[in-house]
Amino acid sequence: MFDFLRRHFGGTRAVRHRTEQARPGVQLLASVLVCFPEIQAVSYEPHSGLLTMDFVLRGTVPEDEMEAFAEFLAESIETYQGLEGGMASEMEFTYEHHEGLMMLHLARRMDEVTEREIGLTVQLLTDRFGEALLVDAHGADVPDAEFRQMQHDALDRMLTAVREMPLRDRLVGIRERDQVVVYNR
């Protein structure tokens, strides 16, 4: 009943437009989390245009080692983007300690990041931190390689589409038990 009233009196056009516009962003963030079980949370801030990926390490890493890794990561992303004909104009890498855990935050411009760059980042983190890098057990062992490849291809297409039609909504995606949840903030 209320849907009828909203359609009749409420001007659903604006509501529907906002919902339809948010949907690609929700799908994009969910796909990042599905494709990369190493990423614990992902967010998008439309004002800065930054996509932030959060990783968790068990234990702590000395500050000088984290700084060296941050430089290595920045150089690796710049080199990768240069080889692919892209650019890496902005990258923010921060970290914080929380009772035996470290939270790593990597922010990149949404209009520059690619699925392969995210894959490179995850591989570098895995190579450097190994078992200390927290990986979602529900997403790490997807048995169907074809399904996994389809997810990565879909993510790549969504990242390309976002360059043509930027997202307007502030979004946050997190892992919650065995699910991926995306909030429109």
Side-chain angles (χ1 to χ4, degrees), residues 159-177:
L159 285 166
T160 300
V162 165
R163 289 184 185 93
E164 296 170 14
M165 188 174 127
L167 303 174
R168 294 187 193 125
D169 292 323
R170 194 172 171 200
L171 301 166
V172 175
I174 61 170
R175 297 183 181 285
E176 190 172 285
R177 295 188 193 120

Side-chain angles (χ1 to χ4, degrees), residues 32-149:
V32 168
L33 293 170
V34 167
C35 289
F36 298 101
E38 300 83 358
I39 299 174
Q40 299 304 310
V42 62
S43 61
Y44 175 69
E45 178 59 54
H47 299 296
S48 63
L50 293 178
L51 179 73
T52 302
M53 296 163 281
D54 298 332
F55 303 87
V56 176
L57 297 179
R58 292 177 198 92
T60 58
V61 177
E63 190 169 328
D64 59 334
E65 288 182 35
M66 284 307 292
E67 294 300 323
F69 179 76
E71 287 179 32
F72 173 70
L73 182 61
E75 289 173 9
S76 299
I77 290 173
E78 286 176 23
T79 301
Y80 169 79
Q81 285 291 346
L83 291 171
E84 292 292 312
M87 59 186 289
S89 65
E90 188 168 348
M91 183 188 104
E92 296 174 13
F93 183 79
T94 59
Y95 53 91
E96 54 192 273
H97 300 272
H98 295 281
E99 298 180 23
L101 296 174
M102 284 188 78
M103 296 278 301
L104 312 178
H105 311 283
L106 174 63
R108 287 278 292 121
R109 289 192 47 85
M110 176 77 94
D111 60 354
E112 295 175 0
V113 74
T114 65
E115 183 274 336
R116 290 181 65 192
E117 178 189 315
I118 297 170
L120 171 67
T121 300
V122 167
Q123 187 62 52
L124 293 174
L125 284 159
T126 301
D127 290 349
R128 170 58 184 89
F129 301 109
E131 295 292 318
L133 181 64
L134 190 64
V135 178
D136 179 37
H138 295 98
D141 298 321
V142 175
D144 189 357
E146 186 176 328
F147 173 77
R148 179 168 249 165
Q149 186 58 47

